[in-house]
Each structure stands twice: as C-alpha cells, then as structure tokens.
Amino acid sequence: MISKKIDNLKDLEIWSDLNFLTSIVQKQLNKKKSENLEKMSKSLIRIVFYFQEYSNNIRLYKKALSEYKQTKNRAIERARRSEQENERLRKQNESLSI
C-alpha cells in the first residue's frame, strides 16, 4: 500500500516536471523558433510518450499478476474443498461398508 502511494507520488513528480519542461519549450518556440528548440520539443514528446507507455506497461503487468494470483488462489481453494469432500465421502463409504 505504501509502495503504491510512493509510486504515485513519483509519477506525479515526473509528470509535473515534464509538463513544466514542455511548457517552457513551447513558449520559447512561440517566441522564436530555432532548430535546437524544435529538436528539444521532439525529444520531450518522445520522452512523454515513452514514460506513458512504460507506466501503462507497469500498470497492466500488476493487473495481470493480480489476476493470476486470484485465479491460482481460487484453484487452490477448489482443490481443498474437493479434498475435504472426498475425505468426507471416503469416511461415509467406510462406515457403510462395515
């Protein structure tokens, strides 16, 4: 739980920094275009897209992992119930055989 909050705060900081940088570059581009500013703008755009994709991949990985764990836990619980029912029926069968 704490790790998720820390991750969210880190993401917020990165998005704030990226927003700050892109707004500065955009303002400078609006004042006077230059080759370096245009390259910087394109680089920042690639960084933003990369970070967004990375964040989405992490989120989807955690979601898939959680679903796999839930599926595994449900299968274990079904197996335990089946074993208990099997044991109950075995005892019932033994008591009838005597």
Side-chain angles (χ1 to χ4, degrees):
M1 185 69 153
I2 291 175
S3 176
K4 187 174 183 176
K5 288 182 182 182
I6 291 171
D7 288 343
N8 287 341
L9 288 172
K10 286 179 184 177
D11 284 355
L12 184 61
E13 282 182 336
I14 291 171
W15 282 114
S16 295
D17 290 345
L18 288 170
N19 185 47
F20 175 73
L21 289 172
T22 54
S23 66
I24 289 174
V25 171
Q26 186 62 48
K27 285 178 187 176
Q28 292 303 313
L29 273 172
N30 290 340
K31 287 181 183 178
K32 184 178 179 187
K33 290 188 180 195
S34 73
E35 188 177 336
N36 282 339
L37 276 175
E38 288 181 5
K39 286 180 181 179
M40 190 182 297
S41 176
K42 289 177 182 179
S43 294
L44 279 170
I45 289 169
R46 283 193 305 273
I47 290 169
V48 167
F49 283 123
Y50 169 79
F51 181 69
Q52 179 62 45
E53 185 69 19
Y54 178 78
S55 297
N56 282 337
N57 288 345
I58 295 286
R59 182 183 55 80
L60 292 172
Y61 170 78
K62 288 179 179 179
K63 181 180 178 184
L65 190 60
S66 176
E67 289 174 0
Y68 292 143
K69 285 180 181 178
Q70 289 175 354
T71 300
K72 179 185 123 191
N73 289 341
R74 282 193 301 270
I76 289 170
E77 188 59 36
R78 282 193 308 272
R80 285 182 182 150
R81 282 194 307 267
S82 295
E83 287 173 354
Q84 290 170 352
E85 180 66 12
N86 187 28
E87 184 64 22
R88 185 187 68 77
L89 291 172
R90 187 186 63 75
K91 288 180 181 178
Q92 181 182 10
N93 190 24
E94 283 178 359
S95 69
L96 295 174
S97 297
I98 296 178

